[in-house]
Amino acid sequence: MPGIVVVGAQWGDEGKGKITDLLAERADAVVRFQGGNNAGHTIVHEGVTYKLHLMPSGILHPGKLCVIGNGVVIDPKILTDELDDLRRRDIDTSALRISANAHLIMPYHMLLDHAGEIKLGKLQIGTTRRGIGPCYSDKAARLGIRVQDLLDEKILKKKIVAAMEPKRLSLREFARDPRLDLQAMTEEYLTYGHRIKQYIADTSRLVLERLDDGELVVFEGAQGTLLDIDHGTYPFVTSSNPIAGSATIGAGVGPRDITEVWGITKAYSTRVGAGPFPTELDDALGEELRERGAEFGTTTGRPRRVGWLDLVALRYAARLNSLSALVITKLDVLSGQPTLRVATRYRADEGLETDHFPYHQTVLHHSVGEYEELPGWSEDISDCRSEQDLPAAARDYLRYVSEFVRVPIALVSVGPAREQVIWTQAGRSMQGYGARAAA
Ligand code: GDP
Ligand code: IMO
Ligand code: MG
């Protein structure tokens, strides 16, 4: 009954989509459990690039159950557009299932997200403005509209009225916006309901059936540990829990259904949006890595902030997620650097030094990395397929990271394509999983 969670160990965009797609080959089901279309997961397959926002990254494998779980917030326009786009590319989407309990992003959520950021001015979070925060707020306030509400016009309309009532003041500036017209909004959302009706299901039951049959289920996280609303760099976070524990709540399974947790991390760091970033490289080297790594947001196109690998934060992520393995992505991007740096401590104001991720926001905001220097390598490693193919300095870099964080590395990624990976000894059991399951 192996359930494996794929979780972002940094600030998102670690390559979760690529790794989930790779594991999906060996799995029977892929489940998204939180976040919404703030996510952008890229998969490159046979030279074709797929950018998924809501669709689980198992969708390129025909017939595999792909679930959008109850913990996800769904913008039904984006979902139906994504379905259309995949069908145009001849991808079979018939195995998609959507939780009836997932919440819906409504037009007023997007307007409020946008307006909230404008009001914050210089203090803004840099959200994706997709309505994520306001939608989760309504969920907690018990004013949310859920997927199942799309199937009944009367209920839908009543719930929209109830949800908009307490927002009257904040929505006043949009009074004439056609997107907020009650009748038009209800009709638009009923149309989405009609389009996705065939996919709506009790997804918790479907997933548990697979687990009970001993099949491999991949729980695909969105965002990353440091964007977690409880454990991340609050308030510069998203409005859900991207950490592994959240997979149980957002998919409707129990903690004992999770057997492995893989933390995905780049070989360096990136962050998009505002907030503390102790290893940020605000210089020509940062620019160089941004270009080499094509570090521009999948969802918003914004340039990502770039920095050295932060081992203080990574060890924190290992603890919060109880990681059983690490996956290091984008190691190829570091080729050509004579010296590499990894942060092993933070230095804050007044000479304060710490090995631990600071719990106090003020300390964190003043923290900068203290580094260990490691030798780099000059070779292009994008064609390496085994650890022995890698230059000794690259192997040493990986060993240093794994020993510092005390988590084995299962997989190393050396390029965007599905085949550009190196399975290590620790990852071999998963590599062989599909074959064993089929036997
Ligand atoms: P996600 O949100 O965690 O799924 O990550 P994104 O898809 O937003 O960002 C990761 C980007 O890096 C995508 O453009 C991937 O195609 C690309 N990528 C993934 N792994 C590698 C790798 O090992 N090397 C390189 N050069 N690119 C990679
Ligand atoms: P994937 O799944 C990187 C960031 C935003 C912003 C903060 C809050 O592709 O890794 P939100 O719209 O969620 O309220 O924005 O979170 N953010 C992401 N950063 N990758 C993502 O997803 C992100 N989803 C949200 O930039 O700083
Ligand atoms: Mg992304």
Side-chain angles (χ1 to χ4, degrees), residues 39 134 165 212:
E165 172 57 30
D212 281 347

Side-chain angles (χ1 to χ4, degrees), residues 8 11-16 32 34-42 52-53 113 117 125-134 221-224 227 235-240 270-275 298-300 302 304:
W11 280 281
D13 302 324
E14 299 91 347
K16 299 175 294 293
R32 274 279 309 266
Q34 46 70 232
N37 61 304
N38 45 351
H41 295 182
T42 315
L52 305 174
H53 299 287
D113 194 357
E117 286 284 89
I125 295 157
T127 74
T128 59
R129 303 196 179 191
R130 300 301 193 261
I132 307 294
Q223 292 78 54
L227 290 173
F236 301 98
V237 292
T238 191
S239 297
S240 68
T270 65
R271 166 162 211 172
V272 58
T298 309
T299 299
T300 57
R302 289 178 288 177
R304 295 175 183 147

Side-chain angles (χ1 to χ4, degrees), residues 22-346:
L22 194 72
L23 290 175
E25 218 172 290
R26 296 153 176 85
D28 295 280
V30 177
V31 187
R32 274 279 309 266
F33 57 88
Q34 46 70 232
N37 61 304
N38 45 351
H41 295 182
T42 315
I43 303 172
V44 181
H45 182 49
E46 288 176 355
V48 184
T49 300
Y50 300 85
K51 290 180 187 296
L52 305 174
H53 299 287
L54 276 166
M55 210 57 71
S57 300
I59 202 75
L60 301 187
H61 300 272
K64 306 258 165 146
L65 175 67
C66 281
V67 169
I68 300 182
N70 56 277
V72 176
V73 288
I74 300 174
D75 180 335
K77 178 174 190 320
I78 301 295
L79 177 63
T80 47
D81 284 352
E82 211 161 301
L83 276 166
D84 289 343
D85 183 50
L86 287 168
R87 282 201 208 108
R88 262 196 302 274
R89 292 163 167 230
D90 285 329
I91 306 293
D92 174 14
T93 56
S94 61
L96 173 71
R97 293 294 176 271
I98 304 167
S99 169
N101 291 350
H103 282 246
L104 294 167
I105 297 181
M106 305 298 290
Y108 43 84
H109 292 142
M110 281 174 271
L111 293 173
L112 290 173
D113 194 357
H114 189 78
E117 286 284 89
I118 303 281
K119 273 195 203 108
L120 280 171
K122 276 211 291 224
L123 297 176
Q124 67 178 241
I125 295 157
T127 74
T128 59
R129 303 196 179 191
R130 300 301 193 261
I132 307 294
C135 183
Y136 277 117
S137 301
D138 267 358
K139 176 178 176 174
R142 289 152 294 183
L143 288 171
I145 319 278
R146 297 189 294 171
V147 166
Q148 57 187 275
D149 300 325
L150 294 175
L151 304 177
D152 185 317
E153 179 172 0
K154 256 206 209 134
I155 291 182
L156 179 62
K157 204 181 246 169
K158 248 191 184 155
K159 290 198 174 183
I160 295 178
V161 171
M164 286 181 68
E165 172 57 30
K167 301 178 183 61
R168 254 195 310 184
L169 199 61
S170 36
L171 287 173
R172 208 168 46 187
E173 58 181 298
F174 306 109
R176 275 185 237 289
D177 196 307
R179 285 170 290 182
L180 294 188
D181 178 77
L182 177 64
Q183 192 55 34
M185 198 192 311
T186 311
E187 277 166 25
E188 184 190 349
Y189 273 65
L190 284 171
T191 311
Y192 296 136
H194 190 69
R195 291 218 36 211
I196 64 171
K197 194 172 168 185
Q198 58 176 310
Y199 302 112
I200 303 175
D202 175 355
T203 51
S204 156
R205 191 168 57 80
L206 294 179
V207 173
L208 276 167
E209 276 170 11
R210 302 287 163 134
L211 289 164
D212 281 347
D213 288 347
E215 294 173 350
L216 180 67
V217 176
V218 181
F219 297 89
E220 178 186 14
Q223 292 78 54
T225 301
L226 298 166
L227 290 173
D228 186 278
I229 189 162
D230 284 275
H231 302 283
T233 53
Y234 193 89
F236 301 98
V237 292
T238 191
S239 297
S240 68
N241 292 107
I243 61 170
S246 168
T248 62
I249 297 159
V253 300
R256 288 189 299 137
D257 295 314
I258 307 295
T259 38
E260 292 222 28
V261 183
W262 282 18
I264 320 301
T265 174
K266 287 179 196 182
Y268 51 97
S269 302
T270 65
R271 166 162 211 172
V272 58
F277 186 178
T279 64
E280 184 162 14
L281 282 166
D282 210 358
D283 57 9
L285 179 57
E287 189 62 44
E288 185 189 330
L289 290 176
R290 184 178 305 118
E291 292 300 324
R292 278 185 64 88
E295 297 295 356
F296 299 89
T298 309
T299 299
T300 57
R302 289 178 288 177
R304 295 175 183 147
R305 299 156 67 193
V306 177
W308 291 117
L309 183 61
D310 181 343
L311 293 180
V312 180
L314 192 57
R315 202 162 48 185
Y316 179 62
R319 180 184 106 201
L320 288 169
N321 293 292
S322 63
L323 294 184
S324 55
L326 281 171
V327 175
I328 312 280
T329 61
K330 297 196 137 181
L331 189 65
D332 53 300
V333 177
L334 293 184
S335 289
Q337 299 301 329
T339 308
L340 301 171
R341 301 176 102 194
V342 290
T344 53
R345 290 171 76 74
Y346 289 162

